[in-house]
Coordinates of all heavy atoms in Angstrom, one line a residue:
M86 N 42.5 47.6 -55.3 CA 41.1 47.3 -55.0 C 40.7 46.1 -55.8 O 41.0 45.9 -56.9 CB 40.2 48.5 -55.5 CG 39.0 48.6 -54.6 SD 37.8 49.6 -55.4 CE 37.8 51.1 -54.8
E87 N 40.0 45.2 -55.0 CA 39.6 43.9 -55.6 C 38.2 44.0 -56.1 O 37.3 44.5 -55.4 CB 39.7 42.9 -54.4 CG 39.8 41.5 -54.9 CD 40.0 40.5 -53.8 OE1 41.0 40.8 -53.0 OE2 39.3 39.6 -53.6
N88 N 38.0 43.5 -57.3 CA 36.7 43.5 -57.9 C 36.1 42.1 -57.7 O 36.5 41.1 -58.4 CB 36.7 43.9 -59.3 CG 35.4 44.0 -59.9 OD1 34.4 44.0 -59.2 ND2 35.3 44.2 -61.2
K89 N 35.1 42.0 -56.9 CA 34.4 40.7 -56.7 C 33.1 40.7 -57.4 O 32.3 41.6 -57.2 CB 34.2 40.4 -55.2 CG 35.5 40.1 -54.5 CD 35.1 39.7 -53.0 CE 36.4 39.4 -52.3 NZ 36.1 39.0 -50.9
T90 N 32.8 39.7 -58.2 CA 31.5 39.7 -58.8 C 30.6 38.7 -58.1 O 31.1 37.6 -57.7 CB 31.7 39.2 -60.3 OG1 32.3 37.9 -60.3 CG2 32.5 40.1 -61.1
V91 N 29.4 39.1 -57.8 CA 28.5 38.3 -57.1 C 27.4 37.9 -58.0 O 26.8 38.7 -58.7 CB 27.9 39.2 -55.9 CG1 26.9 38.3 -55.1 CG2 29.0 39.7 -55.0
K92 N 27.2 36.6 -58.0 CA 26.1 36.0 -58.8 C 24.8 36.1 -58.1 O 24.7 35.7 -56.9 CB 26.4 34.5 -59.1 CG 27.3 34.3 -60.3 CD 27.3 32.8 -60.5 CE 27.7 32.4 -61.9 NZ 27.7 31.0 -62.1
H93 N 23.8 36.7 -58.7 CA 22.5 36.8 -58.1 C 21.5 36.0 -59.0 O 21.4 36.3 -60.2 CB 22.0 38.3 -58.0 CG 22.7 39.0 -57.0 ND1 22.5 38.8 -55.7 CD2 23.7 40.0 -57.1 CE1 23.3 39.6 -55.0 NE2 24.0 40.4 -55.8
N94 N 20.9 35.1 -58.4 CA 19.8 34.3 -59.1 C 18.6 35.2 -59.1 O 18.1 35.6 -58.1 CB 19.6 33.0 -58.4 CG 18.8 32.0 -59.3 OD1 18.3 32.4 -60.3 ND2 18.7 30.8 -58.8
P95 N 18.0 35.4 -60.3 CA 16.8 36.2 -60.3 C 15.6 35.6 -59.6 O 14.7 36.3 -59.1 CB 16.5 36.4 -61.8 CG 17.2 35.3 -62.5 CD 18.4 35.0 -61.6
F96 N 15.5 34.3 -59.5 CA 14.4 33.6 -58.9 C 14.9 32.9 -57.7 O 15.8 32.0 -57.8 CB 13.7 32.6 -59.8 CG 12.5 32.0 -59.2 CD1 11.3 32.8 -59.1 CD2 12.5 30.7 -58.8 CE1 10.2 32.2 -58.6 CE2 11.4 30.2 -58.2 CZ 10.2 30.9 -58.1
P97 N 14.4 33.2 -56.5 CA 15.0 32.5 -55.2 C 14.4 31.1 -55.0 O 13.5 30.9 -54.2 CB 14.5 33.5 -54.1 CG 13.3 34.1 -54.7 CD 13.5 34.2 -56.2
L98 N 14.9 30.2 -55.8 CA 14.3 28.8 -55.8 C 14.5 28.2 -54.4 O 13.6 27.5 -53.9 CB 15.0 28.0 -56.8 CG 14.5 26.5 -56.9 CD1 13.0 26.5 -57.3 CD2 15.3 25.7 -57.9
L99 N 15.7 28.3 -53.7 CA 15.9 27.7 -52.4 C 14.9 28.3 -51.4 O 14.4 27.5 -50.5 CB 17.3 27.9 -52.0 CG 18.3 27.0 -52.7 CD1 19.7 27.3 -52.2 CD2 18.0 25.6 -52.5
Q100 N 14.6 29.6 -51.4 CA 13.7 30.2 -50.5 C 12.3 29.7 -50.7 O 11.6 29.4 -49.8 CB 13.8 31.7 -50.6 CG 15.0 32.3 -49.9 CD 16.2 32.2 -50.7 OE1 16.2 31.9 -51.9 NE2 17.4 32.4 -50.1
V101 N 11.9 29.5 -51.9 CA 10.6 29.0 -52.2 C 10.4 27.5 -51.8 O 9.4 27.1 -51.1 CB 10.3 29.1 -53.8 CG1 9.0 28.3 -54.1 CG2 10.2 30.5 -54.2
I102 N 11.5 26.7 -52.0 CA 11.5 25.3 -51.5 C 11.4 25.3 -50.0 O 10.6 24.6 -49.4 CB 12.7 24.6 -52.0 CG1 12.6 24.4 -53.5 CG2 12.9 23.2 -51.3 CD1 13.8 23.8 -54.2
G103 N 12.2 26.2 -49.3 CA 12.2 26.3 -47.8 C 10.8 26.7 -47.3 O 10.3 26.1 -46.3
F104 N 10.2 27.6 -48.0 CA 8.8 28.1 -47.6 C 7.8 27.0 -47.8 O 7.0 26.7 -46.9 CB 8.4 29.3 -48.5 CG 7.0 29.8 -48.2 CD1 6.7 30.4 -47.0 CD2 6.0 29.5 -49.2 CE1 5.4 30.8 -46.8 CE2 4.7 30.0 -48.9 CZ 4.4 30.6 -47.7
L105 N 7.9 26.2 -48.9 CA 6.9 25.1 -49.1 C 7.1 24.0 -48.1 O 6.2 23.4 -47.6 CB 7.0 24.6 -50.5 CG 6.6 25.6 -51.6 CD1 6.8 25.0 -53.0 CD2 5.1 25.9 -51.4
L106 N 8.4 23.7 -47.8 CA 8.7 22.7 -46.8 C 8.1 23.1 -45.4 O 7.6 22.3 -44.6 CB 10.2 22.4 -46.7 CG 10.7 21.5 -47.8 CD1 12.3 21.5 -47.7 CD2 10.2 20.1 -47.8
S107 N 8.3 24.4 -45.1 CA 7.8 24.9 -43.8 C 6.3 24.8 -43.7 O 5.8 24.4 -42.7 CB 8.3 26.3 -43.6 OG 9.7 26.4 -43.5
I108 N 5.6 25.2 -44.8 CA 4.2 25.1 -44.8 C 3.7 23.6 -44.7 O 2.8 23.3 -43.9 CB 3.6 25.7 -46.1 CG1 3.9 27.2 -46.1 CG2 2.1 25.4 -46.2 CD1 3.2 28.0 -45.0
A109 N 4.4 22.7 -45.4 CA 4.0 21.3 -45.3 C 4.3 20.7 -43.9 O 3.4 20.0 -43.4 CB 4.9 20.5 -46.4
L110 N 5.3 21.1 -43.3 CA 5.6 20.6 -41.9 C 4.6 21.2 -40.9 O 4.1 20.5 -40.0 CB 7.0 21.0 -41.5 CG 8.1 20.2 -42.2 CD1 9.5 20.8 -41.8 CD2 8.1 18.8 -41.7
T111 N 4.1 22.4 -41.1 CA 3.1 23.0 -40.3 C 1.8 22.3 -40.4 O 1.2 21.9 -39.4 CB 2.9 24.5 -40.6 OG1 4.2 25.2 -40.4 CG2 1.9 25.1 -39.7
F112 N 1.4 22.0 -41.7 CA 0.1 21.3 -41.9 C 0.2 19.9 -41.4 O -0.8 19.3 -40.9 CB -0.3 21.4 -43.3 CG -0.9 22.7 -43.7 CD1 -0.4 23.4 -44.8 CD2 -1.9 23.3 -43.0 CE1 -1.0 24.6 -45.2 CE2 -2.5 24.5 -43.3 CZ -2.0 25.2 -44.5
T113 N 1.4 19.3 -41.5 CA 1.6 17.9 -41.0 C 1.4 17.9 -39.5 O 0.8 17.0 -38.9 CB 2.9 17.4 -41.4 OG1 3.1 17.4 -42.8 CG2 3.1 15.9 -40.9
A114 N 2.0 18.9 -38.8 CA 1.9 18.9 -37.3 C 0.4 19.2 -36.9 O -0.1 18.6 -36.0 CB 2.7 20.1 -36.8
V115 N -0.3 20.0 -37.7 CA -1.7 20.2 -37.4 C -2.5 19.0 -37.6 O -3.4 18.6 -36.8 CB -2.3 21.4 -38.2 CG1 -3.8 21.5 -38.1 CG2 -1.7 22.7 -37.8
W116 N -2.2 18.3 -38.7 CA -3.0 17.0 -39.0 C -2.7 16.0 -37.9 O -3.6 15.3 -37.4 CB -2.5 16.5 -40.3 CG -3.2 15.2 -40.7 CD1 -4.5 15.1 -41.2 CD2 -2.7 13.9 -40.5 NE1 -4.8 13.8 -41.4 CE2 -3.8 13.0 -41.0 CE3 -1.5 13.4 -40.1 CZ2 -3.6 11.7 -41.0 CZ3 -1.4 12.0 -40.1 CH2 -2.4 11.2 -40.5
I117 N -1.4 15.9 -37.4 CA -1.1 14.9 -36.4 C -1.8 15.3 -35.1 O -2.4 14.4 -34.4 CB 0.4 14.9 -36.1 CG1 1.1 14.2 -37.3 CG2 0.8 14.2 -34.8 CD1 2.6 14.2 -37.2
G118 N -1.9 16.5 -34.8 CA -2.6 17.0 -33.6 C -4.1 16.8 -33.6 O -4.7 16.6 -32.5
V119 N -4.7 17.0 -34.7 CA -6.2 17.0 -34.8 C -6.8 15.7 -35.3 O -7.8 15.2 -34.7 CB -6.6 18.2 -35.7 CG1 -8.1 18.1 -35.9 CG2 -6.2 19.5 -35.2
R120 N -6.1 15.1 -36.2 CA -6.8 13.9 -36.9 C -6.3 12.5 -36.5 O -6.8 11.6 -37.0 CB -6.6 14.1 -38.4 CG -7.3 15.3 -39.0 CD -8.7 15.0 -39.0 NE -9.4 16.2 -39.7 CZ -10.7 16.2 -39.8 NH1 -11.5 15.3 -39.3 NH2 -11.2 17.3 -40.4
T121 N -5.3 12.4 -35.7 CA -4.8 11.1 -35.4 C -5.3 10.7 -34.0 O -5.7 11.5 -33.2 CB -3.2 11.0 -35.4 OG1 -2.7 12.0 -34.4 CG2 -2.7 11.4 -36.7
D122 N -5.2 9.4 -33.8 CA -5.7 8.8 -32.5 C -4.5 8.4 -31.6 O -4.6 7.5 -30.8 CB -6.6 7.6 -32.7 CG -7.9 8.0 -33.4 OD1 -8.3 9.1 -33.1 OD2 -8.4 7.2 -34.1
L123 N -3.4 9.1 -31.8 CA -2.2 8.8 -31.0 C -2.3 9.3 -29.6 O -3.2 10.1 -29.3 CB -0.9 9.5 -31.7 CG -0.6 9.0 -33.1 CD1 0.5 9.8 -33.6 CD2 -0.1 7.5 -33.0
S124 N -1.5 8.8 -28.7 CA -1.5 9.3 -27.4 C -1.0 10.7 -27.3 O -0.4 11.2 -28.2 CB -0.7 8.4 -26.5 OG 0.7 8.6 -26.8
Y125 N -1.4 11.4 -26.2 CA -1.0 12.8 -26.0 C 0.5 12.9 -26.1 O 1.0 13.9 -26.7 CB -1.6 13.3 -24.7 CG -1.3 14.7 -24.4 CD1 -2.0 15.7 -25.1 CD2 -0.4 15.1 -23.4 CE1 -1.7 17.1 -24.9 CE2 -0.2 16.5 -23.1 CZ -0.9 17.4 -23.9 OH -0.6 18.7 -23.6
N126 N 1.3 12.0 -25.4 CA 2.7 12.1 -25.4 C 3.3 11.9 -26.8 O 4.3 12.6 -27.2 CB 3.3 11.1 -24.4 CG 3.0 11.5 -23.0 OD1 2.8 12.7 -22.7 ND2 3.0 10.5 -22.1
A127 N 2.7 11.0 -27.6 CA 3.3 10.8 -28.9 C 3.0 12.0 -29.8 O 3.9 12.3 -30.6 CB 2.6 9.5 -29.5
I128 N 1.9 12.6 -29.7 CA 1.6 13.8 -30.4 C 2.6 14.9 -30.1 O 3.1 15.6 -31.0 CB 0.1 14.3 -30.2 CG1 -0.8 13.3 -30.8 CG2 -0.1 15.7 -30.8 CD1 -2.3 13.5 -30.5
I129 N 2.8 15.1 -28.8 CA 3.8 16.1 -28.4 C 5.2 15.9 -29.0 O 5.8 16.8 -29.5 CB 3.8 16.3 -26.9 CG1 2.5 16.9 -26.4 CG2 5.0 17.1 -26.4 CD1 2.4 16.9 -24.9
I130 N 5.6 14.6 -28.9 CA 6.9 14.3 -29.4 C 7.0 14.5 -30.9 O 8.0 15.1 -31.4 CB 7.3 12.8 -29.1 CG1 7.5 12.7 -27.6 CG2 8.5 12.3 -29.8 CD1 7.6 11.3 -27.0
L131 N 6.0 14.1 -31.7 CA 6.0 14.3 -33.1 C 5.9 15.8 -33.5 O 6.6 16.2 -34.4 CB 4.8 13.5 -33.7 CG 5.0 12.0 -33.8 CD1 3.7 11.4 -34.3 CD2 6.2 11.6 -34.7
V132 N 5.1 16.5 -32.8 CA 5.0 18.0 -33.1 C 6.3 18.7 -32.8 O 6.8 19.5 -33.6 CB 3.8 18.6 -32.4 CG1 3.9 20.1 -32.5 CG2 2.5 18.1 -33.0
F133 N 7.0 18.3 -31.7 CA 8.3 18.9 -31.4 C 9.3 18.5 -32.4 O 10.2 19.3 -32.8 CB 8.7 18.6 -30.0 CG 8.2 19.6 -28.9 CD1 7.1 19.3 -28.2 CD2 8.9 20.8 -28.8 CE1 6.7 20.2 -27.2 CE2 8.4 21.7 -27.8 CZ 7.3 21.4 -27.1
A134 N 9.3 17.3 -32.9 CA 10.3 16.8 -33.9 C 10.1 17.6 -35.2 O 11.0 18.1 -35.8 CB 10.1 15.4 -34.1
L135 N 8.8 17.8 -35.6 CA 8.5 18.5 -36.8 C 8.9 20.0 -36.6 O 9.4 20.6 -37.6 CB 7.1 18.4 -37.2 CG 6.6 17.1 -37.7 CD1 5.1 17.0 -37.8 CD2 7.3 16.7 -39.0
A136 N 8.7 20.6 -35.5 CA 9.1 22.0 -35.2 C 10.7 22.1 -35.3 O 11.2 23.1 -35.8 CB 8.6 22.4 -33.8
F137 N 11.4 21.1 -34.8 CA 12.8 21.2 -34.8 C 13.3 21.1 -36.3 O 14.2 21.9 -36.7 CB 13.4 20.0 -34.0 CG 14.9 20.0 -34.0 CD1 15.6 20.9 -33.2 CD2 15.6 19.1 -34.8 CE1 17.0 20.9 -33.2 CE2 17.0 19.1 -34.8 CZ 17.7 20.0 -34.0
I138 N 12.7 20.2 -37.1 CA 13.1 20.1 -38.5 C 12.8 21.4 -39.2 O 13.6 21.9 -40.0 CB 12.4 18.9 -39.1 CG1 12.9 17.6 -38.6 CG2 12.5 19.0 -40.6 CD1 12.0 16.4 -38.9
Q139 N 11.6 22.0 -38.9 CA 11.2 23.3 -39.5 C 12.2 24.4 -39.1 O 12.6 25.2 -40.0 CB 9.8 23.7 -39.2 CG 9.3 24.9 -39.9 CD 7.9 25.2 -39.6 OE1 7.2 24.4 -39.0 NE2 7.4 26.3 -40.1
A140 N 12.6 24.4 -37.9 CA 13.6 25.5 -37.4 C 14.9 25.3 -38.2 O 15.5 26.3 -38.6 CB 13.8 25.4 -35.9
A141 N 15.4 24.1 -38.3 CA 16.6 23.8 -39.1 C 16.5 24.2 -40.5 O 17.4 24.9 -41.1 CB 17.0 22.3 -39.0
I142 N 15.4 23.9 -41.2 CA 15.1 24.4 -42.5 C 15.2 25.9 -42.6 O 15.8 26.4 -43.5 CB 13.8 23.8 -43.1 CG1 13.9 22.3 -43.3 CG2 13.4 24.5 -44.4 CD1 12.6 21.7 -43.7
Q143 N 14.5 26.6 -41.7 CA 14.5 28.0 -41.8 C 15.9 28.6 -41.5 O 16.3 29.6 -42.1 CB 13.5 28.6 -40.8 CG 12.1 28.3 -41.2 CD 11.0 28.8 -40.3 OE1 11.4 29.4 -39.3 NE2 9.8 28.5 -40.6
L144 N 16.7 28.0 -40.6 CA 18.0 28.5 -40.4 C 18.9 28.4 -41.6 O 19.7 29.3 -41.9 CB 18.7 27.8 -39.2 CG 18.2 28.2 -37.8 CD1 18.8 27.2 -36.8 CD2 18.7 29.6 -37.5
F145 N 18.8 27.3 -42.3 CA 19.7 27.1 -43.5 C 19.2 27.7 -44.7 O 19.9 28.2 -45.5 CB 19.9 25.6 -43.7 CG 20.8 25.0 -42.7 CD1 20.4 24.3 -41.6 CD2 22.2 25.1 -42.8 CE1 21.2 23.7 -40.6 CE2 23.1 24.6 -41.9 CZ 22.6 23.9 -40.8
M146 N 17.9 27.7 -44.9 CA 17.3 28.3 -46.2 C 17.2 29.8 -46.1 O 17.4 30.5 -47.1 CB 15.9 27.7 -46.5 CG 16.0 26.2 -46.7 SD 16.6 25.9 -48.4 CE 16.2 24.2 -48.6
F147 N 16.7 30.4 -45.0 CA 16.4 31.8 -45.0 C 17.5 32.6 -44.3 O 17.8 33.7 -44.7 CB 15.1 32.0 -44.2 CG 13.9 31.4 -44.9 CD1 13.1 30.5 -44.2 CD2 13.6 31.7 -46.2 CE1 12.1 29.9 -44.9 CE2 12.5 31.0 -46.9 CZ 11.8 30.1 -46.2
M148 N 18.1 32.0 -43.2 CA 19.1 32.8 -42.5 C 20.5 32.5 -43.0 O 21.5 33.1 -42.5 CB 19.0 32.5 -41.0 CG 17.6 33.0 -40.5 SD 17.4 32.7 -38.8 CE 18.3 34.1 -38.1
H149 N 20.7 31.6 -43.9 CA 22.0 31.3 -44.5 C 23.1 31.0 -43.5 O 24.2 31.6 -43.6 CB 22.4 32.4 -45.5 CG 21.4 32.8 -46.5 ND1 21.0 32.0 -47.5 CD2 20.5 33.8 -46.5 CE1 20.1 32.6 -48.2 NE2 19.7 33.7 -47.6
V150 N 22.8 30.1 -42.6 CA 23.7 29.9 -41.5 C 25.0 29.2 -42.0 O 26.1 29.6 -41.5 CB 23.1 28.9 -40.4 CG1 24.1 28.4 -39.4 CG2 22.0 29.7 -39.7
S151 N 25.0 28.4 -43.0 CA 26.1 27.7 -43.5 C 27.0 28.5 -44.5 O 28.0 28.0 -45.0 CB 25.8 26.3 -44.0 OG 24.9 26.5 -45.1
E152 N 26.5 29.7 -44.9 CA 27.2 30.4 -45.9 C 28.2 31.4 -45.2 O 28.2 31.7 -44.1 CB 26.2 31.2 -46.7 CG 25.4 30.3 -47.6 CD 24.4 31.1 -48.4 OE1 24.4 32.4 -48.4 OE2 23.5 30.5 -49.0
G153 N 29.1 31.9 -46.0 CA 30.1 32.8 -45.5 C 31.4 32.1 -45.2 O 31.6 31.0 -45.4
E154 N 32.4 32.9 -44.7 CA 33.7 32.4 -44.4 C 33.7 31.5 -43.2 O 34.5 30.5 -43.2 CB 34.7 33.5 -44.1 CG 34.5 34.8 -44.7 CD 35.5 35.8 -44.2 OE1 36.1 35.7 -43.2 OE2 35.8 36.7 -45.0
H155 N 32.9 31.7 -42.2 CA 32.9 31.0 -41.0 C 31.7 30.1 -40.9 O 31.1 29.9 -39.8 CB 33.0 31.9 -39.8 CG 34.2 32.8 -39.9 ND1 35.5 32.4 -39.8 CD2 34.3 34.1 -40.1 CE1 36.3 33.4 -39.9 NE2 35.6 34.5 -40.1
G156 N 31.2 29.5 -42.0 CA 30.0 28.7 -42.0 C 30.0 27.5 -41.1 O 29.1 27.2 -40.4
V157 N 31.2 26.8 -41.0 CA 31.3 25.6 -40.2 C 31.3 26.1 -38.7 O 30.6 25.4 -37.9 CB 32.6 24.9 -40.5 CG1 32.8 23.7 -39.5 CG2 32.6 24.4 -41.9
W158 N 31.9 27.2 -38.4 CA 31.9 27.6 -37.0 C 30.5 28.1 -36.6 O 30.1 27.9 -35.4 CB 32.9 28.8 -36.8 CG 34.3 28.3 -36.9 CD1 35.2 28.5 -37.9 CD2 35.0 27.5 -35.9 NE1 36.4 27.9 -37.6 CE2 36.3 27.3 -36.4 CE3 34.6 27.0 -34.6 CZ2 37.2 26.6 -35.6 CZ3 35.5 26.3 -33.9 CH2 36.8 26.1 -34.4
Q159 N 29.8 28.7 -37.5 CA 28.4 29.1 -37.2 C 27.5 27.9 -36.9 O 26.7 27.9 -35.9 CB 27.8 29.9 -38.3 CG 28.4 31.3 -38.5 CD 27.8 32.0 -39.6 OE1 27.1 31.5 -40.4 NE2 28.2 33.3 -39.8
V160 N 27.6 26.9 -37.6 CA 26.9 25.6 -37.4 C 27.3 25.0 -36.1 O 26.4 24.6 -35.3 CB 27.0 24.7 -38.6 CG1 26.3 23.3 -38.2 CG2 26.4 25.2 -39.8
G161 N 28.5 25.0 -35.8 CA 29.0 24.5 -34.5 C 28.5 25.3 -33.3 O 28.1 24.7 -32.3
K162 N 28.5 26.6 -33.5 CA 27.9 27.4 -32.4 C 26.4 27.2 -32.2 O 25.9 27.2 -31.1 CB 28.1 28.9 -32.7 CG 29.6 29.4 -32.6 CD 29.7 30.8 -33.1 CE 31.0 31.2 -33.4 NZ 31.1 32.6 -33.9
M163 N 25.7 27.0 -33.3 CA 24.3 26.7 -33.2 C 24.0 25.4 -32.5 O 23.1 25.3 -31.7 CB 23.7 26.6 -34.6 CG 23.7 27.9 -35.4 SD 22.7 29.2 -34.8 CE 21.1 28.5 -35.1
F164 N 24.8 24.3 -32.8 CA 24.7 23.1 -32.1 C 25.0 23.2 -30.6 O 24.3 22.6 -29.8 CB 25.5 22.0 -32.8 CG 24.9 21.4 -34.0 CD1 25.6 21.4 -35.2 CD2 23.6 21.0 -34.1 CE1 25.1 20.9 -36.4 CE2 23.0 20.5 -35.2 CZ 23.7 20.4 -36.4
S165 N 26.0 23.9 -30.3 CA 26.4 24.0 -28.9 C 25.3 24.8 -28.1 O 25.0 24.5 -27.0 CB 27.8 24.7 -28.7 OG 27.8 26.0 -29.2
A166 N 24.8 25.9 -28.8 CA 23.7 26.6 -28.1 C 22.4 25.8 -27.9 O 21.8 25.8 -26.9 CB 23.4 27.9 -29.0
A167 N 22.1 24.9 -28.9 CA 21.0 24.0 -28.8 C 21.2 23.0 -27.7 O 20.3 22.7 -27.0 CB 20.7 23.3 -30.2
F168 N 22.4 22.5 -27.6 CA 22.8 21.6 -26.5 C 22.6 22.2 -25.1 O 22.0 21.6 -24.2 CB 24.2 21.0 -26.7 CG 24.6 20.1 -25.6 CD1 24.1 18.9 -25.5 CD2 25.5 20.6 -24.6 CE1 24.5 18.0 -24.4 CE2 25.9 19.8 -23.6 CZ 25.4 18.5 -23.5
V169 N 23.1 23.4 -25.0 CA 22.9 24.1 -23.7 C 21.5 24.4 -23.4 O 21.0 24.2 -22.2 CB 23.7 25.5 -23.7 CG1 23.4 26.3 -22.5 CG2 25.2 25.2 -23.7
A170 N 20.7 24.8 -24.4 CA 19.2 25.0 -24.2 C 18.6 23.7 -23.8 O 17.7 23.7 -22.9 CB 18.6 25.6 -25.4
L171 N 18.9 22.6 -24.4 CA 18.3 21.3 -24.1 C 18.7 20.9 -22.7 O 17.8 20.3 -22.0 CB 18.8 20.3 -25.1 CG 18.2 18.9 -25.0 CD1 16.7 18.9 -25.3 CD2 18.9 17.9 -26.0
V172 N 19.9 21.1 -22.3 CA 20.3 20.7 -20.9 C 19.5 21.5 -19.9 O 19.1 21.0 -18.9 CB 21.8 20.9 -20.7 CG1 22.3 20.8 -19.3 CG2 22.6 19.8 -21.5
I173 N 19.4 22.8 -20.2 CA 18.6 23.7 -19.2 C 17.2 23.3 -19.1 O 16.6 23.1 -18.0 CB 18.8 25.2 -19.7 CG1 20.2 25.7 -19.4 CG2 17.8 26.0 -18.9 CD1 20.5 27.0 -20.0
V174 N 16.5 23.0 -20.3 CA 15.1 22.6 -20.3 C 15.0 21.2 -19.6 O 14.1 21.0 -18.7 CB 14.6 22.6 -21.7 CG1 13.2 21.9 -21.7 CG2 14.5 24.0 -22.2
A175 N 15.8 20.3 -20.0 CA 15.7 18.9 -19.4 C 16.0 19.0 -17.9 O 15.3 18.3 -17.1 CB 16.7 18.0 -20.1
G176 N 17.0 19.7 -17.5 CA 17.3 19.9 -16.1 C 16.2 20.5 -15.3 O 15.8 20.1 -14.2
S177 N 15.5 21.5 -15.9 CA 14.4 22.2 -15.2 C 13.2 21.3 -15.1 O 12.6 21.2 -14.0 CB 14.0 23.4 -16.0 OG 15.1 24.3 -16.1
V178 N 12.9 20.5 -16.1 CA 11.8 19.5 -16.0 C 12.1 18.5 -15.0 O 11.3 18.1 -14.2 CB 11.6 18.9 -17.4 CG1 10.6 17.7 -17.3 CG2 11.0 20.0 -18.4
W179 N 13.4 18.0 -14.9 CA 13.8 17.0 -14.0 C 13.6 17.5 -12.6 O 13.1 16.8 -11.7 CB 15.2 16.5 -14.3 CG 15.8 15.6 -13.3 CD1 15.2 14.3 -13.0 CD2 16.9 15.8 -12.5 NE1 16.0 13.7 -12.0 CE2 17.1 14.6 -11.7 CE3 17.8 16.8 -12.3 CZ2 18.1 14.4 -10.8 CZ3 18.9 16.6 -11.4 CH2 19.0 15.5 -10.7
V180 N 14.1 18.7 -12.3 CA 14.0 19.3 -11.0 C 12.6 19.5 -10.6 O 12.2 19.2 -9.4 CB 14.8 20.6 -10.9 CG1 14.5 21.4 -9.6 CG2 16.3 20.3 -11.0
L181 N 11.8 20.0 -11.5 CA 10.4 20.3 -11.1 C 9.6 19.0 -10.9 O 8.7 19.0 -10.1 CB 9.7 21.2 -12.2 CG 10.3 22.6 -12.3 CD1 9.7 23.3 -13.5 CD2 9.9 23.4 -11.0
N182 N 9.9 18.0 -11.6 CA 9.2 16.7 -11.5 C 9.6 15.9 -10.2 O 8.9 15.1 -9.7 CB 9.3 15.8 -12.7 CG 8.4 16.3 -13.8 OD1 7.4 16.9 -13.6 ND2 8.8 16.1 -15.0
S183 N 10.8 16.1 -9.8 CA 11.3 15.3 -8.7 C 11.2 16.0 -7.3 O 11.7 15.5 -6.3 CB 12.8 14.9 -8.9 OG 13.6 16.0 -9.0
M184 N 10.6 17.2 -7.3 CA 10.4 17.9 -6.0 C 9.2 17.3 -5.3 O 8.3 16.8 -5.9 CB 10.1 19.4 -6.2 CG 11.3 20.1 -6.8 SD 11.0 21.8 -7.1 CE 10.6 22.5 -5.5
H185 N 9.3 17.3 -4.0 CA 8.2 16.7 -3.2 C 7.3 17.8 -2.6 O 7.6 18.7 -2.0 CB 8.7 15.8 -2.1 CG 9.5 14.7 -2.7 ND1 8.9 13.6 -3.3 CD2 10.8 14.4 -2.8 CE1 9.8 12.7 -3.7 NE2 11.0 13.2 -3.4

């Protein structure tokens, strides 16, 4: 029988940092949407970019995607799933916009 010792940090510093970053990104997106004079398309692009960054932070900080034996494979699967979702969404928007 193998005895593995697991180190547990009593204070979850990475989770607190991830939480604070998520809150800061949310408030930044709200500020961009409410307080700036940017065009509607620019606001949408910036809010989606901030949402993507926040999702990545949550995947790595809270869901521990890169940890474990198959961390590299999990990240690769996440990127391939994101690519498929992007192709489906972009294709759907293209088809719906080009119909007569």
Side-chain angles (χ1 to χ4, degrees):
M86 209 197 259
E87 198 174 310
N88 185 8
K89 292 184 179 182
T90 59
V91 178
K92 277 184 155 181
H93 289 287
N94 192 357
F96 185 75
L98 182 63
L99 286 178
Q100 284 78 14
V101 171
I102 291 171
F104 176 71
L105 292 175
L106 284 173
S107 295
I108 294 295
L110 287 169
T111 300
F112 283 130
T113 303
V115 169
W116 181 80
I117 287 172
V119 174
R120 296 286 184 185
T121 60
D122 293 330
L123 297 172
S124 69
Y125 183 70
N126 289 337
I128 291 173
I129 289 175
I130 290 170
L131 287 173
V132 169
F133 270 101
L135 290 173
F137 181 77
I138 293 168
Q139 184 174 357
I142 287 172
Q143 290 179 4
L144 282 172
F145 286 99
M146 294 287 193
F147 299 122
M148 299 181 76
H149 308 287
V150 170
S151 61
E152 294 178 7
E154 333 178 330
H155 305 292
V157 176
W158 288 106
Q159 289 177 353
V160 173
K162 290 178 200 175
M163 297 292 292
F164 281 129
S165 64
F168 175 73
V169 169
L171 184 65
V172 167
I173 290 171
V174 169
S177 298
V178 169
W179 175 59
V180 167
L181 291 174
N182 283 331
S183 61
M184 293 177 64
H185 298 287

